[in-house]
Amino acid sequence: MTYSDLLLFIQPFAPPDQWLQRVRQANPGIRVEYHHVEMYAKELPPISKETWAEATILFTWQLFPPKEWVPKLQYIQLLSAGCNQLLGMPLFEDTDIAFCTSNGNHPPQIAEWVFSTFLAFQHHIPEYLENQRACKWVDPPTDEDTEDAVGLRIGILGYGCIGRQCARVAKAFGMDVYAYTLHSRDTPESRRSEDYTEPGLGDPEGEFPSAWFAGKEQLNEFLASDLDLLLITLPLTNQTRGMISREQFDILSKRKAYVSNVGRGPCINTEDLMAALDEGKIRGAALDVTDPEPLPADHKLWGYKNVIITPHCSGNSNHYYERVLKIFAYNLERRAQGKPLVNHVNRALGY
């Protein structure tokens, strides 16, 4: 048999037989080679240069061959939704290989993290857990010590697939939704999402926001729009690094917004964040990502009682690999049909 494609599957999990059957039906003649690696492996598994030279498709996370090894490579599917691991890499910068992220895999679990941490803060859960560990029953001083979510406004900085699922959940809580994107979305067509979306989830038509902001010139206007919760879902690029700094915290102090970051740590200036916490400019923060990351044990940020920190795990889910493989199979089917791939990384934008 003459194989039209060679797919190298480099992951800590093997492709299930049912998935392989679906892929082979959509791609007659495809050959799939699985090579096991540990989750945080730093080195490629032992694959011959002859095999690399024949590979046309690669499924990986952070392990990549030199571009000289893969003259036939056409498409790389990433395990991750983020792609900053590609920046500066010749295989990405100096080729026309299609790189695609796993956008669409993370929205359900990250939306749960966003609202579980925000509502835990609003409902004083960290304080009650401390009392529980101390075996102390402490009655609240009033029935009105908790601000529920109805009527609050969430501002979503980066209205991609994660932001759109958070908007859906926010609407269910009775919240108002404001969206911000780096590029203008001033028509109904431009507000539609081309990313992979699980049926019934997200906001594929861009219908939930009651207000939409875009571009650097509207960032501060967005932040000044009476936000109770600022959610950051941005990728890390030169444009987003330090995007939320002292000036922006000063603006957020108008409503003492709660800040939630599930994007990348350096999108927030950490020193300015701590100053805003010290000065009471924001009510608190939930951080799944930090700068630096991992956060050193002696870092001041650990000590704030109104901050929840988790180790970059908001995307964890027992459905993670299942959803990634659905996205990968969908893209393989589109490729076989000559259709554009979804979640295609834009080299000019870096995401």
Side-chain angles (χ1 to χ4, degrees):
M1 174 183 288
T2 300
Y3 294 101
S4 59
D5 276 309
L6 171 57
L7 161 58
L8 298 184
F9 193 111
I10 301 178
Q11 298 292 350
F13 63 98
D17 290 340
Q18 186 176 5
W19 185 86
L20 288 170
Q21 183 179 358
R22 173 182 172 181
V23 166
R24 286 169 177 149
Q25 286 176 345
N27 304 264
I30 193 172
R31 180 159 56 107
V32 180
E33 285 193 15
Y34 170 61
H35 297 272
H36 175 80
V37 291
E38 298 299 327
M39 175 61 72
Y40 299 103
K42 301 296 184 183
E43 296 182 359
L44 287 165
I47 300 173
S48 71
K49 289 192 176 181
E50 291 75 17
T51 299
W52 280 117
E54 292 300 315
T56 55
I57 304 168
L58 174 63
F59 181 33
T60 186
W61 176 27
Q62 299 186 105
L63 299 176
F64 302 94
K67 68 174 185 175
E68 294 78 15
W69 290 10
V70 285
K72 296 184 179 180
L73 197 60
Q74 301 170 9
Y75 161 40
I76 295 179
Q77 177 65 50
L78 300 175
L79 180 68
S80 58
C83 61
N84 48 291
Q85 70 268 38
L86 304 178
L87 301 182
M89 186 174 65
L91 188 67
F92 176 68
E93 304 285 357
D94 302 334
T95 73
D96 58 1
I97 296 168
F99 287 79
C100 297
T101 70
S102 64
N103 279 344
N105 172 27
H106 303 78
Q109 61 269 34
I110 291 185
E112 292 178 6
W113 183 97
V114 167
F115 288 100
S116 64
T117 51
F118 176 61
L119 296 177
F121 175 81
Q122 293 288 93
H123 288 261
H124 312 290
I125 300 302
E127 178 184 344
Y128 292 139
L129 288 174
E130 286 189 12
N131 290 341
Q132 179 181 341
R133 284 189 286 270
C135 304
K136 292 166 57 179
W137 183 287
V138 180
D139 289 317
T142 172
D143 289 343
E144 297 191 345
D145 70 331
T146 297
E147 182 181 36
D148 64 45
V150 177
L152 299 187
R153 177 172 295 154
I154 179 174
I156 302 176
L157 186 58
Y159 203 63
C161 58
I162 292 169
R164 289 169 186 257
Q165 176 64 10
C166 290
R168 174 176 288 271
V169 175
K171 293 294 285 186
F173 280 126
M175 300 178 75
D176 188 22
V177 175
Y178 277 15
Y180 174 93
T181 49
L182 291 175
H183 305 281
S184 179
R185 304 290 183 93
D186 54 3
T187 65
E189 293 76 17
S190 68
R191 293 180 179 183
R192 295 193 182 109
S193 172
E194 300 299 326
D195 290 334
Y196 180 88
T197 303
E198 288 275 352
L201 300 184
D203 181 21
E205 297 298 317
E207 298 174 323
F208 291 148
S210 60
W212 205 296
F213 302 80
K216 185 178 181 180
E217 64 280 359
Q218 290 190 344
L219 173 62
N220 288 351
E221 181 184 353
F222 164 72
L223 297 174
S225 58
D226 292 332
L227 304 182
D228 297 286
L229 169 59
L230 172 65
L231 170 61
I232 303 167
T233 70
L234 296 170
L236 181 60
T237 67
N238 290 335
Q239 191 172 358
T240 64
R241 184 179 295 274
M243 198 171 193
I244 304 300
S245 297
R246 178 172 294 276
E247 179 184 1
Q248 288 69 44
F249 285 117
D250 287 343
I251 295 169
L252 291 170
S253 67
K254 176 183 176 183
R255 288 278 294 184
K256 294 189 67 174
Y258 189 81
V259 176
S260 181
N261 190 6
V262 295
R264 288 293 183 267
C267 293
I268 295 178
N269 182 301
T270 301
E271 292 299 319
D272 293 345
L273 167 64
M274 293 189 296
L277 290 164
D278 290 336
E279 297 164 18
K281 292 179 179 178
I282 58 175
R283 67 183 77 174
L287 308 172
D288 188 48
V289 289
T290 60
D291 184 27
E293 187 177 308
L295 197 64
D298 60 351
H299 201 284
K300 178 181 175 181
L301 200 51
W302 288 114
Y304 290 93
K305 289 190 174 183
N306 56 342
V307 174
I308 297 173
I309 299 172
T310 59
H312 205 147
C313 61
S314 64
N316 290 9
S317 168
N318 62 331
H319 295 292
Y320 193 103
Y321 296 150
E322 170 193 332
R323 293 192 186 114
V324 168
L325 288 177
K326 286 172 67 175
I327 295 167
F328 190 19
Y330 179 65
N331 252 348
L332 289 172
E333 290 167 7
R334 291 181 65 87
R335 181 175 179 271
Q337 297 163 6
K339 297 179 179 179
L341 301 176
V342 298
N343 299 346
H344 197 158
V345 177
N346 185 317
R347 281 176 167 80
L349 299 176
Y351 61 90

